[in-house]
């Protein structure tokens, strides 16, 4: 039966706009923190509260305050909290004092204003800049907004240069501008003061080195005596918190950092890294010749004569080590791929040279560096691991060769016709059903306008069709991928098969082979390995579609 229009008998009441759920966002940078100027926290809040009273049918849901955070990026705790609330639909309107409180990075600010906020249905208002993304209170002014954002971006870069200039002046005066003093010192008024307990350990380390002990043996001695490592000591003093710091042991690298650091003879050494305050990124370590060194800026822990002798020992040991290395040896083809199966840290490789002939061993450094480590201290010759990996790769290659031959025979027998047509029909059926539901969803709006559906009926139907459309779109995408994979499969274009077949005549594990075929290799204490090959999904897809020869006659046209 045809539906009868109820347009004349139906009264559509005037509906109000949805309630405006407001977030007030306030930001104060480090240089303004604690100030009483026009950008103070209280002044910003007062301005935003007064303005929000002009919005009808609105409520202030939450106030978000980032006190002491830069505007050059969006890594701010309260900003991230607010965006989480936006995604949970608790907020649909954000109000700030001006665009500089919002962000000082032109590109990222533009993304939020032009893409992210409109997509999420969020209204954005910058009061003092007369910007309203709904254009209710202020006229549209995209161009002015762009230039204002650009000006803020330049302002941040200018501030970065000024801060760096101020830092440079302080460094020239011998002031320390870092955030953590080296082991053996504490910071007071931008200068180093000796920390006696740690300084005594520093002196002992130099003394042991002068007695001929290696850095490794020094580290072992300190660990045997339960002397806290620099990281653990900092945690015990409440200066810093490190993950697993209670388990961190002395390591040869930590000993070397002490032995070869000029800070212990009273010199201030800074400027080792290129650093951008604007982007807050380290940009690589500088050459030692460019470091900023000021001599005799604080009390020394070690006499210069002793320090110089240690550096001479270092140079002599380096020359001996170079002569001992013999031939260059060979590269570690599993670098970045081999890891410990227990702690999942990278497995290291140690070189041992005897009679000028190098040999290599794999070991897990965590077994030596952490007191609570469950990792094994045993090492294993690298060639044994290489041989085991190569053996497993060859098994995969043999499997790929068999799969290639089987697919070739299946193509000759036309075994793919039924399965291909079946997948094609499924894709077409889903596409037709998706089009039908999109049409139904668009048509119900007209039904509501004509009075055939009430608003509540319309909203229920809209939600139902939207959910179904989302399901169909997901199913359609999955079917497209499956059909594409099947087409690649029957055309010998399977990535797993192609990757392994290209190494079918290789009898040695190479770096190219390892990078191309291996995702990860895990080494365990019993010297067993577990290999995760790449292209696992392609392999499983291929195996699931191979048809045994005794069933080739089934389901074929």
């Amino acid at each position: 039966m045809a539906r009868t229009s109820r347009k004349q008998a139906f009264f559509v009441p005037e509906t109000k706009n949805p309630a405006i759920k407001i977030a007030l966002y306030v930001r104060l940078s480090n240089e303004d923190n604690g100030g009483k100027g026009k950008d103070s926290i209280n002044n910003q809040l007062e301005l935003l509260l007064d303005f929000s009273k002009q919005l009808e049918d609105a409520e202030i849901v939450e106030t978000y305050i980032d006190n002491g955070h830069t505007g050059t990026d969006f890594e701010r705790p309260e900003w991230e909290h607010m965006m989480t609330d936006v995604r949970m639909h608790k907020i649909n309107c954000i109000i700030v004092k001006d665009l500089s409180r919002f962000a000082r990075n032109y590109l990222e600010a533009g993304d939020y204003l032009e893409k992210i906020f409109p997509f999420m249905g969020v209204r954005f208002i910058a009061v003092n800049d007369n910007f309203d993304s709904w254009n209710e209170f202020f006229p549209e002014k995209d161009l002015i907004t762009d230039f204002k954002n650009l000006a803020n971006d330049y302002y941040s870069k200018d501030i970065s240069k000024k801060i760096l200039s101020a830092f440079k002046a302080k460094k020239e005066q011998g002031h320390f501008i870092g955030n953590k003093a080296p082991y053996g010192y504490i910071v007071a008024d931008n200068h180093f003061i000796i920390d006696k307990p740690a300084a005594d350990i520093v002196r002992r380390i130099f003394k042991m080195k002068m007695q001929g002990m290696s850095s490794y043996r020094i580290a072992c001695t300190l660990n045997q005596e339960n002397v806290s490592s620099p990281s653990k000591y900092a945690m015990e003093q409440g200066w810093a918190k490190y993950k697993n710091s209670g388990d961190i042991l002395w390591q040869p690298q930590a000993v070397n950092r002490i032995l070869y650091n000029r800070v212990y003879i009273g010199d201030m050494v800074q400027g080792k890294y290129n650093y951008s305050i604007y982007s807050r990124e380290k940009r690589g370590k500088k050459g030692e010749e460019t470091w900023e060194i000021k001599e005799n800026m604080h009390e020394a822990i070690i006499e210069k004569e002793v320090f110089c002798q240690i550096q001479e020992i270092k140079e002599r040991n380096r020359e001996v080590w170079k002569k001992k290395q013999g031939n260059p040896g060979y590269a570690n083809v599993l670098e970045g791929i081999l890891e410990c199966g227990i702690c999942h840290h990278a497995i290291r490789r140690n070189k041992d040279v005897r009679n000028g002939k190098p040999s290599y061993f794999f070991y897990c450094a965590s077994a030596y560096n952490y007191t609570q480590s469950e990792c094994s201290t045993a090492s294993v010759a690298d060639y044994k691991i290489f041989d085991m990996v190569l053996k497993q790769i060859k098994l995969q290659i043999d499997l790929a060769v068999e799969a290639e031959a089987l697919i070739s025979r299946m193509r000759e027998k036309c075994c793919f016709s039924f399965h291909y047509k079946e997948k094609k029909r499924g894709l077409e059926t889903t596409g037709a059903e998706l089009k039908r539901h999109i049409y139904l969803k668009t048509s119900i709006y007209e039904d509501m306008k004509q009075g055939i559906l009430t608003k509540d009926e319309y909203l229920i139907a809209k939600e139902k069709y939207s959910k179904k459309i989302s399901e169909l779109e997901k199913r359609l995408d999955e079917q497209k991928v499956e059909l594409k994979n099947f087409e690649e499969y029957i055309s010998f274009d399977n990535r797993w098969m192609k990757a392994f077949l290209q190494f079918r005549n290789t009898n040695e594990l190479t770096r190219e082979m390892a990078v191309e075929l291996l995702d990860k290799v895990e080494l365990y204490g019993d010297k067993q390995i577990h290999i995760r090959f790449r292209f696992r999904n392609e392999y499983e897809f291929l195996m699931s579609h191979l048809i045994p020869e005794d069933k080739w006659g089934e389901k074929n046209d």
Side-chain angles (χ1 to χ4, degrees):
M1 178 183 293
R3 291 183 297 181
T4 303
S5 173
R6 302 197 301 263
K7 182 176 181 181
Q8 294 181 352
F10 184 81
F11 174 71
V12 181
E14 183 180 354
T15 58
K16 293 184 179 180
N17 292 327
I20 301 174
K21 294 173 283 188
I22 300 173
L24 304 181
Y25 180 74
V26 175
R27 184 187 66 79
L28 204 63
S29 59
N30 279 318
E31 55 267 28
D32 295 329
N33 198 350
K36 298 182 179 180
K38 62 181 181 180
D39 284 333
S40 70
I41 295 292
N42 289 336
N43 285 349
Q44 289 185 56
L45 278 176
E46 185 177 347
L47 174 71
L48 300 183
L49 289 169
D50 286 343
F51 179 84
S52 62
K53 295 175 183 178
Q54 303 178 47
L55 296 171
E56 298 180 0
D57 194 20
E59 62 172 335
I60 298 174
V61 176
E62 187 64 80
T63 299
Y64 305 86
I65 301 174
D66 276 316
N67 195 354
H69 290 275
T70 179
T72 58
D73 59 42
F74 288 95
E75 293 180 5
R76 316 170 210 152
E78 282 302 291
W79 175 268
E80 293 173 352
H81 178 196
M82 180 177 69
M83 292 307 297
T84 298
D85 288 345
V86 167
R87 285 187 283 271
M88 295 175 67
H89 306 292
K90 295 181 181 180
I91 304 295
N92 60 18
C93 178
I94 297 173
I95 305 178
V96 299
K97 173 182 171 288
D98 54 45
L99 292 168
S100 67
R101 299 301 99 194
F102 162 53
R104 292 192 184 277
N105 186 302
Y106 170 64
L107 294 177
E108 289 192 63
D111 280 341
Y112 270 95
L113 294 178
E114 297 175 6
K115 299 176 183 177
I116 298 174
F117 287 155
F119 175 77
M120 302 180 80
V122 174
R123 180 179 184 179
F124 181 81
I125 299 174
V127 178
N128 283 358
D129 286 324
N130 296 332
F131 179 82
D132 178 5
S133 61
W134 283 17
N135 303 319
E136 179 181 338
F137 286 96
F138 312 113
E140 189 172 357
K141 49 186 298 185
D142 288 342
L143 187 61
I144 296 177
T145 300
D146 285 348
F147 279 113
K148 194 73 176 276
N149 279 334
L150 185 60
N152 283 326
D153 200 25
Y154 280 128
Y155 170 77
S156 290
K157 292 177 181 178
D158 183 55
I159 286 293
S160 176
K161 292 178 181 177
K162 290 178 180 177
I163 293 175
L164 286 175
S165 178
F167 283 170
K168 183 178 180 181
K170 288 185 177 181
K171 285 188 286 187
E172 288 175 350
Q173 296 170 12
H175 291 182
F176 177 65
I177 63 168
N179 57 4
K180 185 178 68 173
Y183 181 72
Y185 288 100
I186 58 177
V187 179
D189 297 326
N190 296 325
H191 288 86
F192 291 155
I193 297 177
I194 290 180
D195 176 32
K196 189 178 184 308
D200 289 342
I201 301 299
V202 171
R203 294 188 185 99
R204 188 177 172 206
I205 288 173
F206 275 87
K207 183 178 179 180
M208 287 190 285
K209 189 67 175 180
M210 290 291 290
Q211 292 172 347
M213 294 179 67
S214 68
S215 297
Y216 175 78
R217 181 51 53 195
I218 293 172
C220 289
T221 301
L222 295 174
N223 288 329
Q224 289 168 0
E225 297 177 4
N226 294 320
V227 176
S228 296
S229 66
S231 297
K232 185 177 181 181
Y233 182 75
M235 182 206 70
E236 292 170 345
Q237 301 301 314
W239 298 333
K241 294 181 180 180
Y242 296 87
K243 184 179 180 181
N244 301 326
S245 55
D247 300 331
I248 297 177
L249 298 173
W250 279 94
Q251 302 174 32
Q253 296 91 332
V255 173
N256 287 337
R257 281 195 294 269
I258 291 172
L259 291 171
Y260 309 134
N261 193 342
R262 291 180 55 169
V263 72
Y264 296 109
I265 58 173
D267 296 346
M268 182 68 73
V269 183
Q270 300 186 97
K272 293 183 178 181
Y273 294 91
N274 291 306
Y275 186 81
S276 168
I277 292 178
Y278 169 67
S279 63
R280 301 200 295 178
E281 294 178 346
K282 274 187 178 181
R283 296 179 175 174
K285 192 172 183 178
K286 294 180 180 178
E288 190 169 344
E289 67 280 358
T290 65
W291 293 356
E292 298 165 42
I293 301 174
K294 291 290 180 180
E295 297 182 351
N296 303 318
M297 297 309 301
H298 51 265
E299 185 179 355
I301 295 176
I302 301 298
E303 296 178 359
K304 286 188 178 181
E305 182 181 352
V306 173
F307 183 82
C308 290
Q309 290 177 8
I310 294 295
Q311 309 317 303
E312 292 174 1
I313 293 173
K314 174 185 176 183
E315 290 302 317
R316 286 199 302 270
N317 289 343
R318 179 178 294 175
E319 291 301 318
V320 171
W321 179 84
K322 285 182 179 180
K323 292 178 181 178
K324 184 181 177 182
Q325 292 308 294
N327 298 325
Y330 52 88
N332 176 13
V333 297
L334 293 179
E335 184 176 2
I337 299 174
L338 185 63
E339 68 175 34
C340 175
I342 304 299
C343 69
H344 301 291
H345 289 168
I347 289 289
R348 296 184 182 178
R349 192 173 72 148
N350 186 45
K351 184 178 181 181
D352 183 32
V353 181
R354 296 182 183 180
N355 299 322
K357 183 178 179 181
S359 56
Y360 297 90
F361 298 87
F362 285 127
Y363 70 99
C364 178
S366 296
Y368 300 93
N369 297 338
Y370 296 93
T371 56
Q372 304 299 321
S373 174
E374 298 178 0
C375 304
S376 171
T377 57
S379 61
V380 56
D382 66 342
Y383 70 87
K384 293 183 179 180
I385 301 300
F386 295 157
D387 289 346
M388 285 191 283
V389 172
L390 180 61
K391 181 179 178 181
Q392 294 302 314
I393 288 177
K394 283 188 172 183
L395 290 175
Q396 291 282 310
I397 292 174
D398 291 342
L399 187 58
V401 170
E402 291 179 13
E404 181 188 40
L406 181 57
I407 292 173
S408 181
R409 294 197 298 273
M410 289 172 66
R411 287 173 62 85
E412 292 175 1
K413 295 290 185 179
C414 300
C415 295
F416 298 113
S417 177
F418 172 80
H419 297 282
Y420 182 75
K421 290 180 179 179
E422 191 178 53
K423 294 180 186 296
K424 191 89 169 178
R425 280 195 296 268
L427 183 66
E428 292 170 352
T429 300
T430 303
E433 191 175 356
L434 177 61
K435 289 180 180 179
R436 185 171 70 86
H437 278 80
I438 291 174
Y439 170 76
L440 290 173
K441 181 182 176 182
T442 56
S443 65
I444 59 173
Y445 179 73
E446 291 298 323
D447 288 346
M448 186 191 71
K449 288 180 64 178
Q450 295 176 14
I452 298 172
L453 294 177
T454 66
K455 182 180 179 182
D456 289 340
E457 290 172 338
Y458 163 73
L459 293 174
I460 292 172
K462 180 184 176 184
E463 183 178 359
K464 174 185 174 182
Y465 287 133
S466 296
K467 183 178 179 181
K468 186 65 176 178
I469 288 170
S470 178
E471 293 174 356
L472 290 170
E473 287 175 339
K474 182 180 179 181
R475 188 196 307 171
L476 188 67
D477 289 339
E478 291 172 350
Q479 288 176 326
K480 285 179 179 178
V481 171
E482 188 170 349
L483 183 63
K484 180 177 180 294
N485 289 339
F486 191 78
E487 288 171 344
E488 292 176 353
Y489 155 64
I490 63 178
S491 64
F492 293 92
D493 203 25
N494 180 275
R495 290 200 301 163
W496 169 80
M497 193 165 66
K498 287 176 63 178
F500 280 89
L501 287 177
Q502 66 178 313
F503 298 106
R504 70 172 80 194
N505 297 319
T506 303
N507 294 314
E508 180 183 357
L509 182 64
T510 64
R511 180 63 178 173
E512 179 188 6
M513 183 190 297
V515 171
E516 179 74 17
L517 305 180
L518 304 175
D519 179 38
K520 189 176 296 183
V521 178
E522 295 174 328
L523 176 62
Y524 291 88
D526 56 1
K527 301 182 181 179
Q528 298 297 309
I529 62 172
H530 176 259
I531 301 176
R532 288 169 52 182
F533 290 104
R534 297 186 63 209
F535 313 114
R536 192 70 193 173
N537 292 337
E538 289 83 351
Y539 164 79
E540 292 175 353
F541 181 87
L542 180 64
M543 293 298 107
S544 67
H545 286 78
L546 287 177
I547 306 170
E549 293 191 46
D550 59 350
K551 296 185 178 181
W552 281 1
E554 300 178 13
K555 294 185 179 181
N556 282 329
D557 292 344

